[in-house]
């Protein structure tokens, strides 16, 4: 049986600020729909990702800023850090470990995402040849 993670809910305090933030770092706005007075659903996808995030009104149950542990694989951690900082994003310096290079950044609410550049010995997504 195939199972794929395709959507992660992100708790935010200001929907439009979150929309502007993620669009500002290049994430695609897949869907933005006000379903009712109680529900507004926004779905956004990072470039080349099969998994999206969602936020809005009436969706996430966690406290704004409480999301941790979502990791995105990138080809170049240093270049990703430079891009984030050039857009005014709060991001930590590259941390180099035996299993990869990591950059953690936070959205305006403090939700944390980690970028990972896989090591050379890994046969993961980031090291496959460009098409």
């Amino acid at each position: 049986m195939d199972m794929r993670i395709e959507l992660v809910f992100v708790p935010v305090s200001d929907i439009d600020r979150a929309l502007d933030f993620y669009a500002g770092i290049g994430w695609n706005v897949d869907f933005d729909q006000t379903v009712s007075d109680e529900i507004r659903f926004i779905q956004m996808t990072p470039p080349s990702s099969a998994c999206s995030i969602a936020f809005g009104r009436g969706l996430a149950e966690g406290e704004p800023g409480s999301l941790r542990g979502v990791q995105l694989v990138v080809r170049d951690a240093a270049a990703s850090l430079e891009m984030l900082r050039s857009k005014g994003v709060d991001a930590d310096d590259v941390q180099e470990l035996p299993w990869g290079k990591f950059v953690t950044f936070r959205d305006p609410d403090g939700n944390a995402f980690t970028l990972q550049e896989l090591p050379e010995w890994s046969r993961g997504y980031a090291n496959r040849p460009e098409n």
Side-chain angles (χ1 to χ4, degrees):
M1 171 181 4
D2 287 346
M3 292 186 193
R4 294 180 298 267
I5 295 173
E6 294 194 7
L7 192 62
V8 174
F9 286 90
V10 179
V12 301
S13 62
D14 184 321
I15 299 164
D16 291 315
R17 179 179 70 177
L19 177 63
D20 290 343
F21 172 82
Y22 291 107
I25 61 172
W27 294 19
N28 187 59
V29 181
D30 303 321
F31 192 77
D32 181 356
Q33 182 69 46
T34 300
V35 179
S36 67
D37 290 341
E38 294 81 32
I39 298 174
R40 178 178 175 193
F41 182 87
I42 297 173
Q43 181 173 329
M44 301 187 77
T45 305
S48 302
S49 180
C51 185
S52 302
I53 63 167
F55 55 88
R57 186 173 44 257
L59 301 179
E61 294 182 16
E63 289 296 315
S66 63
L67 181 74
R68 301 286 184 276
V70 175
Q71 194 163 296
L72 299 92
V73 174
V74 297
R75 292 192 188 281
D76 186 330
S80 298
L81 174 61
E82 184 178 321
M83 181 277 294
L84 289 169
R85 287 190 173 162
S86 75
K87 296 177 180 293
V89 175
D90 177 22
D92 298 339
D93 291 337
V94 175
Q95 180 182 21
E96 191 164 349
L97 300 168
W99 50 91
K101 296 177 184 175
F102 299 85
V103 171
T104 298
F105 72 92
R106 285 155 291 285
D107 74 4
D109 282 301
N111 293 301
F113 294 83
T114 299
L115 307 178
Q116 179 188 19
E117 175 185 333
L118 296 171
E120 288 299 318
W121 52 261
S122 172
R123 295 189 173 267
Y125 168 80
N127 292 318
R128 71 178 183 203
E130 295 283 339
N131 293 331

